[in-house]
Amino acid sequence: MDSEKIYQMNFSRIYPLLENKALKKGRTKEEVTAVVCWLTGYERADIEQMLAEPVTYREFFEHAPELNPNRHQIKGVVCGVRVEEIEDLLMRDIRYLDKLVDELAKGWPMEKILRA
């Protein structure tokens, strides 16, 4: 899929997909929110507000209060691509979130997911 198409997708359409992926594996919505907050610096209320407004995925990441400086510790493959090798910084941050949700769905403990 074209990067620009991903960037223009509404966050409110993507977030439920992330939640469902984790929920199918026995994780909770609260854990998904915790992962998103850790990565982006948003508070739970911020995320709920963005779900109610027309916010693109690009805007969601570009307006993040503070992307976690430890996000660079996230390594691995998402959609057949190593996240740490993605040159487009916005796409890398998007794939970091995908990877965190993958780890959540695989049953990793929150401490390990959040690089504690």
Side-chain angles (χ1 to χ4, degrees):
M1 180 179 274
D2 178 20
S3 295
E4 199 56 43
K5 285 183 181 180
I6 294 171
Y7 300 156
Q8 295 305 316
M9 293 177 76
N10 281 334
F11 176 69
S12 63
R13 291 192 61 200
I14 295 171
Y15 195 76
L17 300 174
L18 299 173
E19 283 184 338
N20 287 338
K21 183 174 191 172
L23 291 172
K24 286 180 186 177
K25 298 295 185 170
R27 301 310 285 255
T28 67
K29 289 182 178 187
E30 291 77 21
E31 288 173 314
V32 174
T33 300
V35 165
V36 174
C37 291
W38 177 87
L39 179 63
T40 62
Y42 285 115
E43 298 291 329
R44 175 183 304 279
D46 299 326
I47 294 170
E48 291 173 6
Q49 181 179 356
M50 292 192 155
L51 289 171
E53 298 176 1
V55 175
T56 67
Y57 218 20
R58 174 189 297 277
E59 292 167 336
F60 176 77
F61 277 96
E62 286 181 347
H63 296 119
E66 182 177 357
L67 290 169
N68 194 302
N70 290 332
R71 71 188 185 283
H72 302 292
Q73 295 177 13
I74 302 168
K75 310 269 188 237
V77 177
V78 172
C79 299
V81 178
R82 295 205 64 78
V83 294
E84 62 271 21
E85 295 175 359
I86 298 172
E87 292 184 22
D88 181 331
L89 298 180
L90 176 57
M91 183 56 70
R92 185 182 310 161
D93 287 333
I94 289 170
R95 295 303 181 193
Y96 282 151
L97 180 55
D98 290 341
K99 184 65 178 166
L100 292 174
V101 173
D102 284 351
E103 292 172 355
L104 190 61
K106 289 179 183 176
W108 288 27
M110 286 299 286
E111 300 79 33
K112 189 170 183 181
I113 295 169
L114 303 181
R115 302 337 195 234

